Amino acid sequence: MAESITITDNRNGQSLEIPLENGGVSASDFSKLLPGVWFYDPGLTATAACESAVTFLDGDAGILRYRGYPIEQLAEDSTFLEVAYLLLNGELPTTTEYEVWEQEVTLHTFIHENVRKRFLEGFHYDAHPMGMLVSAVAALSTFYLDAKDIFDPESRDKQIIRLIAKMPTLAAAAHRFSVGMPFVYPDNSLPFTSNFLSMMWKIAEPRFEADPVLARALDVLFILHADHEQNCSTTAMRVVGSSHADPYSCCAAACAALYGPRHGGANEAVIRMLTEIGSLDNVPSFVEAVKQGHGRLQGFGHRVYKSYDPRAKIIKRTADEVFSITGKNPLLDIALKLEEIALKDEYFISRRLYPNVDFYSGLIYQAMGFPLEMFPVLFAIPRTAGWLAHWQELLDQDTKIARPRQLYIGPEPRDYVPIDQRRS
Ligand code: CMC
């Protein structure tokens, strides 16, 4: 065997040689030797739960590639819709393939009127748009009953197109409702990202023309957020997908996972942190407090990246372009100072904590006028493409249902005690 490890069970002296494949070993081989012995790995930090051909990530080297293409090249030369096609199909589209894809997505941007009237407008006036999105995506499964035919290729493709197309419409609708503005229907003469901006910001003008620099910047942010291999929400998508639930229910689960401040909610947390810091003078004491264990530097650190997040580098450039149109976000100087201090500090150096994608994305969204509550929603729009690429891959691989083991730490067996005999 070229590369392998040998494990020996010292209880009975049995040994097993297991091949190393793609840097890992198969747990099923281990299990043959050690039946009933489970690998304790909370947070799955050392467990590969799937084989995937979608995204390559080297956290030490700061490399991110979708289907082999470097993120830097895609951010420079591609569009979000083209990247979504790439993630889902494995190859960049030809001109004809792209035209068909773009047209199909465009034709599916409208949502059923009852999704808006019965679901979105049924929320409380101050509902968080991400909570609305999670629920609305789940509700879509009740409108498309054919979504249950997950092994019918035609049905599967249709749901994928519907989800990618309707996500911006639902996202904008959630925002409009939360600020008491009327719903804006999609303008299908506009490209994907400009159409979303029109649904967000249009007031009384016959046609909303987004600033091309801002529309392109948002498209770049969509590219950067489209996939990130086995992150928390993608894992949620895969786990629910492994039970063969319909793709809307799977996506709702993924959206819910994205909602949390450790994942898609981090860029919102960054803005709140920068606002709390308030001035350049307060930056050193804030960093000191973090080092003493009072909270975390939001937008810093990553489970996989142990060097500069390549997406953060691209975002920094995008920020300059956006600020040239919108004016500089006043929190930018605090962010730059924070980064400068943290990158020189032993605490952050020794733990290999660098700015991640969320450190600067929130500043851009805020400068573009998006309220903080919309930040995770803006993440969900492009990540839908990644979630669906993984969902498709999982179904094609005919994987087992996700069902991890546990190490039981509860009480020993005991007999039921009638209520009048229990100690108070
Ligand atoms: N500020 C201060 N200390 C930190 C931070 C931070 N942002 N992140 C990690 N640490 C410390 C942590 O206290 C621990 O120190 P010690 O070894 O002394 O106990 C050490 O670094 C390792 O931390 P960990 O919690 O074991 O690392 P993890 O891989 O489980 O967590 C993380 C990764 C992203 C949840 C974490 O770095 C974090 O909470 N960052 C802030 C939130 C954030 O920016 N999240 C966005 C992630 S990128 C976008 C996305 O994927 O959604």
Side-chain angles (χ1 to χ4, degrees):
M1 254 174 232
E3 277 203 299
S4 64
I5 58 162
T6 302
I7 55 166
T8 305
D9 185 343
N10 292 329
R11 294 169 301 183
N12 53 25
Q14 275 184 18
S15 285
L16 187 70
E17 189 170 12
I18 305 172
L20 270 168
E21 279 170 22
N22 300 324
V25 292
S26 161
S28 66
D29 289 341
F30 265 118
S31 310
K32 279 181 212 144
L33 184 66
L34 306 170
V37 175
W38 311 128
F39 301 94
Y40 180 53
D41 184 17
L44 306 179
T45 57
T47 299
C50 65
E51 286 184 318
S52 179
V54 180
T55 287
F56 174 80
L57 209 172
D58 180 334
D60 286 322
I63 294 173
L64 174 61
R65 297 185 202 124
Y66 297 159
R67 301 283 190 186
Y69 293 101
I71 192 67
E72 294 80 4
Q73 291 180 19
L74 294 170
E76 187 69 32
D77 299 322
S78 189
T79 62
F80 166 69
L81 264 198
E82 188 180 58
V83 164
Y85 183 98
L86 170 70
L87 289 168
L88 286 155
N89 298 286
E91 297 296 336
L92 287 165
T94 61
T95 307
T96 315
E97 285 166 342
Y98 185 74
E99 280 168 7
V100 171
W101 167 244
E102 187 180 33
Q103 201 204 9
E104 282 188 334
V105 171
T106 307
L107 285 176
H108 286 86
T109 51
F110 277 67
I111 50 175
H112 193 290
E113 277 296 279
N114 281 349
V115 175
R116 177 173 69 85
K117 286 196 216 146
R118 305 271 180 258
F119 287 95
L120 294 172
E121 293 186 1
F123 283 97
H124 200 50
Y125 71 95
D126 60 353
H128 194 294
M130 191 64 175
M132 293 173 73
L133 187 73
V134 171
S135 318
V137 172
L140 286 184
S141 76
T142 66
F143 287 81
Y144 305 112
L145 300 181
D146 55 333
K148 292 197 183 313
D149 302 330
I150 56 171
F151 291 107
D152 171 3
E154 213 176 297
S155 165
R156 207 194 278 181
D157 285 350
K158 197 184 263 179
Q159 316 314 327
I160 287 174
I161 288 166
R162 281 177 174 149
L163 267 161
I164 289 178
K166 292 180 199 317
M167 215 59 178
T169 314
L170 292 174
H175 165 69
R176 302 287 292 203
F177 177 77
S178 69
V179 291
M181 295 285 287
F183 176 71
V184 176
Y185 287 94
D187 176 347
N188 285 347
S189 68
L190 292 170
F192 186 85
T193 307
S194 302
N195 199 357
F196 169 60
L197 289 172
S198 160
M199 290 186 277
M200 281 294 299
W201 309 129
K202 188 167 181 255
I203 302 179
E205 61 276 51
R207 191 165 196 261
F208 181 87
E209 300 281 356
D211 185 296
V213 174
L214 300 186
R216 174 62 192 158
L218 190 58
D219 209 55
V220 169
L221 286 166
F222 282 176
I223 292 171
L224 299 182
H225 285 88
D227 194 47
H228 211 227
E229 51 117 296
Q230 308 310 319
N231 54 88
C232 179
S233 56
T234 302
T235 300
M237 181 87 189
R238 280 183 173 269
V239 169
V240 179
S242 78
S243 78
H244 291 176
D246 69 81
Y248 301 99
S249 303
C250 298
C251 266
C255 273
L258 189 66
Y259 198 172
R262 283 168 148 190
H263 189 12
N267 48 13
E268 181 177 342
V270 170
I271 298 296
R272 293 194 195 282
M273 172 188 75
L274 296 174
T275 309
E276 185 195 324
I277 294 173
S279 81
L280 287 179
D281 293 345
N282 295 336
V283 174
S285 57
F286 185 84
V287 173
E288 274 314 307
V290 167
K291 285 163 61 182
Q292 299 308 317
H294 302 296
R296 290 195 163 194
L297 211 51
Q298 298 300 331
F300 259 70
H302 199 276
R303 170 62 58 78
V304 183
Y305 291 121
K306 300 301 169 197
S307 75
Y308 215 99
D309 181 338
R311 300 168 301 171
K313 275 191 200 150
I314 300 167
I315 280 191
K316 238 174 145 176
R317 271 205 315 275
T318 308
D320 291 335
E321 287 159 21
V322 168
F323 297 158
S324 72
I325 304 293
T326 61
K328 197 171 77 176
N329 187 324
L331 298 174
L332 177 67
D333 289 335
I334 299 178
L336 289 170
K337 186 82 188 158
L338 202 56
E339 180 183 343
E340 185 195 319
I341 293 182
L343 290 183
K344 284 189 202 141
D345 191 294
E346 185 48 32
Y347 176 96
F348 295 92
I349 295 170
S350 62
R351 290 170 179 76
R352 304 177 74 187
L353 300 169
Y354 293 86
N356 59 47
V357 67
D358 289 323
F359 194 64
Y360 288 104
S361 62
L363 290 171
I364 301 179
Y365 293 146
Q366 197 181 41
M368 288 173 83
F370 291 104
L372 292 193
E373 294 72 27
M374 279 299 283
F375 291 6
V377 176
L378 291 165
F379 196 156
I381 295 172
R383 185 54 61 89
T384 302
W387 291 332
L388 290 166
H390 287 272
W391 173 73
Q392 228 184 190
E393 184 176 62
L394 163 111
L395 294 180
D396 286 343
Q397 290 170 343
D398 194 19
T399 54
K400 285 181 183 295
I401 188 168
R403 206 303 184 187
R405 308 303 304 220
Q406 65 166 14
L407 301 184
Y408 179 70
I409 56 167
E412 291 301 313
R414 48 188 175 162
D415 292 324
Y416 179 81
V417 182
I419 196 163
D420 57 350
Q421 292 168 30
R422 290 175 212 161
R423 279 184 294 127
S424 58

